[in-house]
Amino acid sequence: MKLKKITYALFLMFTYPAIAADKGTLTIPTTAVTGNPLGVGSDQMVVPISILNGRELSLKRENTLAETLNSIPGVSNSSFGPSVGRPMIRGMDSDRIKILQNGVNNLDASNLSFDHGVSIDPLIIEQIDVIRGPATLLYGGGAVGGVVNAIDHRIPKEKLQGITGRGEVRYGGANLEQSNAAVVDVGTGNFVMHFDAYNRDSKNLRIPGNAISNRLESTQVWDPTIDVAVDGVSEGGYATYPTNHGRKKLLNSQSETRGGAVGASMIFDRGYAGVSYAKHQTKYGSVKEPGILLDMDTDRIDFASEIRDLGSFFERAKFKAAYTDYRHHEMDAVEIHTTFKNRGIDGTFELAHVPLLGFKGVIGTQFDSGKFDAIGHEAFIPNSKTNSQSVYVYEELPLNQHKMTFGVRHGKHEVESKGGGEIDIDYPLGKFGEPSKKKFNTNNAALGGLYKLNEQWSLTGNLSHNERAPSYFELFANGVHTATGVFEEGQSNLKKEKSNGIDGQIRWKSGQDSLTVGAYFNKFSNFIGLLSTNDYGHGHTEEDVEITYKKSTFSGIKAEFKGVELEGKTMLTDYLQFNVRGDYVDAKDKTNGGYVPRISPLKLGAGLKYEFDRFGARLDVLHAFKQDRVASNYNYQGGKELMTDAYTNVSMMATYKLPTQLNLEAFTRANNLLDEEIREHTSFLKDIAPMGGRSIMFGLRGEF
């Protein structure tokens, strides 16, 4: 309640001075895209990149970061209910997708488990950059699939005299969301302070019909609680899935979120130095486990500085780092079952050199050190430490209107298990065994080019070699993971993940019209996946009943990912724009045959956008085709991965800039107008947790 009052106070504080402001819409300065350390525009980038910022981002904000990005080709949502979703890019997720905040790793536990949320709320984000495809060169061996960088301007970088800011309130949607946010910057010239606060409350999600899909209702899945013997041992067995997840409403899908930050910077003629502190809290229900709540709390301290015009071989130096203290409890109404903690520091130091023989580029180093703890009877990962250090070089060579890029990166990674864990007959030294330490060296390289055919047409191409060190959970997991419903087993002898990739784009741009068509192919000689086995593992309940679970093991396989992406827009009249998008990915398990699990189906979409004077409107139609390319060696809700039916999602939006001295805009947004049963194949809970039904949301946003 206290934080809510602060939010409203901040909102009033910055809207009152705006009464005297000139009419018109404020244009918030954008930040250089993160996919290139030289800061060029997205239309000059060699790698595929998409940017959301300004008014477009404001109107697309959703509950989660992944849902906010659902209009970008190649990006999908690994949803675990309406409050949890981590972006997937080109069929890849977990550690292969780097989630950054202001260019520094966002440390939480969302890469570990599908039910762990990303500790970033889109309400206060000013810009989101999405790099599709391998970005290992600048962001480490983990970024095999891509990078999502959320930028919040909590550390100001430009001089400001006076006060500026924005605010937003909204209500509605399929989960009856009530949310508001305020962002304020106050400056006296060289000294600038930043304040933001936000809150979001939502109810159980309204859905078109049953939470359980027809396919799952008629499928026999593994139930570990079947046949509990007198001596307290369960052998498990197959049964139909329980149907108590709700009708018309998705049970235990509510959430409460609070957060805020304060930052300050000194701005100099040749750079800046600043620091910020942010807190994010959210409590949400676990859709898979009725009655279970996850209570997340994150504290983060950021530091960033840049010095330009050094007057030597290096013309610019940049440093940024963040310390994060993350924890969340998994609990029922009475007690805490398990606590996960993740504390660490991540940072980069970068030097840009003066042009040398036509080359422009940077050399940099990145470091991170983290400590992960799991406490409680559902802890399936040992306490562990991860440390890594990397150095990289990135260069560009302009060739008239064309350009070549290349770079290399070398990293050293150390992953340590503290061992121990519960002791029983099967594990006399504890289920995580003795302490152990694994070391990996990774080498990444990339070569790219941009060739301009004429003023409108251009071609881009990229070749990359990518290596990723296995994560702590892929190496050391050994226990029942309740979110997946299986016994997960790591392998300490895993080799580093390796792949080679190629992608290219054809780009056309003429005024406000543009079209981009791209294709890619990634071949993995060692792709680490969680594969099902014919073995069983055991877990214990609080009553010390031993229960048998199907076992899945992190194993290396050969795999191939290939796909196409399409995005375009054209002005039909001075006020009417036509948009088109599409993406398709095919991911095959070349070792065992069949497909990689949870791959998004072919999607095609089109839309109309109208803007005249103060009024705006938008209509979008997205059709997702049936996904029948399912994995055969994957435990999915205790059984095999099921097919997913096609759906068509129709949405509309209307905006109106109020005729006042304030820069206020009212908006309304309607989703799933056909009230279709939408199940995202990329969601681990697709067969027990559909997306929301027909809904409408109202909002008011202002800025000055």
Side-chain angles (χ1 to χ4, degrees), residues 64 66-67 75-89 91-93 113-115 205 211 213 216 241 250 287-288 483-484 596-601 603 627 630 634-637 640-645 647 678-692:
T64 65
E67 205 174 353
V75 181
S76 49
N77 181 10
S78 61
S79 167
F80 204 90
S83 302
V84 184
R86 201 173 195 274
M88 294 180 66
I89 301 178
M92 301 184 201
D93 63 356
S113 178
F114 301 102
D115 62 330
L205 187 74
S213 70
L216 187 59
Y241 202 87
L250 187 60
V287 176
K288 187 174 184 293
T484 60
V596 175
R598 298 187 307 109
I599 298 300
S600 177
K603 291 183 178 180
Q627 180 57 289
V630 296
Y634 181 64
N635 282 332
Y636 191 85
Q637 296 297 326
K640 300 300 182 183
E641 182 179 26
L642 302 178
M643 293 186 294
T644 305
D645 291 329
Y647 67 80
I678 296 176
R679 299 184 186 272
E680 295 284 7
H681 193 79
T682 53
S683 169
F684 192 85
L685 297 187
K686 70 181 182 68
D687 287 295
I688 67 173
M691 307 301 285

Side-chain angles (χ1 to χ4, degrees), residues 566 580-584 601-606 621-625 647:
L566 163 71
V580 64
R581 58 157 290 195
D583 59 72
Y584 172 80
L602 170 64
K603 291 183 178 180
L604 294 174
V621 179
L622 176 67
H623 181 76
F625 289 77
Y647 67 80

Side-chain angles (χ1 to χ4, degrees), residues 8 84 342 363 512 520 652 699:
Y8 287 126
V84 184
N342 209 351
I363 62 172
Q512 299 183 63
Y520 59 89
M652 292 185 66

